[in-house]
Amino acid sequence: MAVKRYKIADIVFDADVKSKYVESLCENYAYSGDTPPAFKADVTKSDIDFEREKDDINSQNYPDCYYESLALFRKLCNYALKNADGFVFHSSAVEVDGMAYLFTAPSGTGKSTHARLWREMLGDKAVMVNDDKPMIRLLGEKFFVYGTPWMGKHALGAPIKSEIKAICIIEQAKGNSIKRISPHEMLFTALNQTIRPDSAEDMDKLLSLLEKLLSSVGLFKLCCNISREAAELSYKTMSGEENEN
Amino acid sequence: MKIKDGFMLRKVADSFIVVAVGDRVKEFNGIINLNETSALLWRTLEKDVTESQLVDALLSEYDVDREVAAKDVALFIEKLKEANLLL
């Protein structure tokens, strides 16, 4: 189709877009400013085949344009890790009072559901940054989460950035409880919620970023059901409004 | 014996983890979590060593009987073989 210019996670780049699907997916991130592109992303047929082969959720039978979007995302993540202290963190990211809270869990556990409970409880105070694949970047000494076009099946998110206050693992339970966890306890989840690079050099970059992230934001584990009580507990504890017991 | 190429051991957030890199990623995309002792043995196994050299490595760091160390080493090697991680 055509070469388009985008700005995602404050990275300006060109992409040779092949499908209407990707064009429409990324349209809120189109860029026409003065910053020159940092790189060009050309998704090839073999990139598309690669994504299709890796797809273990949708039985590999989605149309090419879907895998094109994933390939584009992978290229952006590659660039971000190598050049911009950035990586994806599979999660649902909500901003409240200028700070971001990330809920993470294996697919289907209820991170999006919990983010929805926050929106129902907090109304306009809760702004969705991204409901599926936000990017995280280290800027100076602080970690920020960025909206991306890859927002999950309900397409919730915005082209905004927000400083990260806390990350919370969600686990389904009958009752509701929340506790602080250590970087060690969060590490495996974190490694499974990002794209791990192939090269040792990039892997070292990722590990060093994760280590810094885990020592600079609040880390929690929430065992919860789907209720307003669950949202109240997590919000009050993570925002620091109420001390954990 | 020796650990296969394409794995890297790192200490991150007080954890010893092993991940695959390069071509090895195609066959192994998990994460191995090691305790401090296993990490020492893994490090030693990054070069070609004998079982008794591994026992020596343990004894140089930990105050245990040779017999106990030898048992630990044998158990660890068994696990590595099961996971097909040794050359």
Side-chain angles (χ1 to χ4, degrees), chain A residues 18-92:
Chain A
K18 294 179 160 50
S19 64
K20 282 266 177 222
Y21 171 74
V22 171
E23 189 182 354
S24 119
L25 182 76
C26 296
E27 70 185 349
N28 286 343
Y29 291 80
Y31 179 72
S32 56
D34 293 334
T35 306
F39 73 105
K40 182 159 187 266
D42 284 325
V43 174
T44 63
K45 181 76 173 72
S46 79
D47 293 329
I48 289 171
D49 292 343
F50 176 80
E51 297 299 336
R52 186 184 298 277
E53 263 172 48
K54 276 188 95 75
D55 173 16
D56 46 18
I57 307 170
N58 308 308
S59 48
Q60 310 192 343
N61 58 8
Y62 275 34
D64 275 5
C65 57
Y66 171 71
Y67 299 108
E68 181 197 347
S69 80
L70 296 184
L72 182 61
F73 185 63
R74 188 178 298 274
K75 284 180 191 290
L76 175 63
C77 290
N78 274 338
Y79 177 87
L81 183 60
K82 283 177 195 291
N83 304 283
D85 289 337
F87 56 95
V88 57
F89 196 84
H90 184 44
S91 59
S92 188

Side-chain angles (χ1 to χ4, degrees), chain B residues 6-66:
Chain B
F7 290 99
M8 61 182 237
L9 166 64
R10 292 292 185 271
K11 189 176 183 187
V12 186
D14 296 323
S15 321
F16 291 96
I17 59 157
V18 174
V19 289
V21 288
D23 284 345
R24 193 67 67 192
V25 176
K26 288 178 195 141
E27 61 187 74
F28 185 89
N29 65 0
I31 308 157
I32 303 169
N33 186 16
L34 298 176
N35 62 23
E36 204 175 317
T37 327
S38 318
L40 170 67
L41 293 175
W42 185 287
R43 277 262 180 267
T44 313
L45 277 162
E46 285 174 346
K47 289 187 189 131
D48 198 5
V49 289
T50 63
E51 189 157 343
S52 108
Q53 284 173 305
L54 286 171
V55 177
D56 293 342
L58 267 195
L59 291 175
S60 71
E61 290 288 328
Y62 298 95
D63 190 16
V64 289
D65 292 342
R66 187 162 189 98

Side-chain angles (χ1 to χ4, degrees), chain A residues 6-13 26 29 39 69-95 100-103 128-139 142-152 156-167 190 193-195 206 209-210 213 217:
Chain A
Y6 298 111
K7 180 169 155 182
I8 301 174
D10 279 341
I11 298 167
V12 176
F13 66 100
C26 296
Y29 291 80
F39 73 105
S69 80
L70 296 184
L72 182 61
F73 185 63
R74 188 178 298 274
K75 284 180 191 290
L76 175 63
C77 290
N78 274 338
Y79 177 87
L81 183 60
K82 283 177 195 291
N83 304 283
D85 289 337
F87 56 95
V88 57
F89 196 84
H90 184 44
S91 59
S92 188
V94 191
E95 182 190 82
Y101 300 84
L102 276 56
F103 297 106
M128 285 305 290
V129 179
N130 187 287
D131 203 26
D132 190 42
K133 293 187 178 80
M135 291 207 35
I136 291 179
R137 283 185 67 185
L138 173 62
L139 304 174
K142 290 176 176 170
F143 283 91
F144 290 82
V145 63
Y146 284 86
T148 74
W150 296 270
M151 302 185 286
L156 294 168
I160 54 176
K161 89 174 192 214
S162 182
E163 189 182 337
I164 301 172
K165 183 167 175 95
I167 301 175
Q193 301 297 59
T194 188
I195 295 180
L206 177 65
L209 283 168
L210 284 178
L213 172 70
V217 305

Side-chain angles (χ1 to χ4, degrees), chain A residues 184 188 196 198 203-204 211, chain B residues 8 10 13 15 21-22 29-30:
Chain A
H184 171 77
F188 281 75
R196 300 209 297 274
D198 287 355
M203 185 66 86
D204 274 325
E211 181 156 46
Chain B
M8 61 182 237
R10 292 292 185 271
S15 321
V21 288
N29 65 0

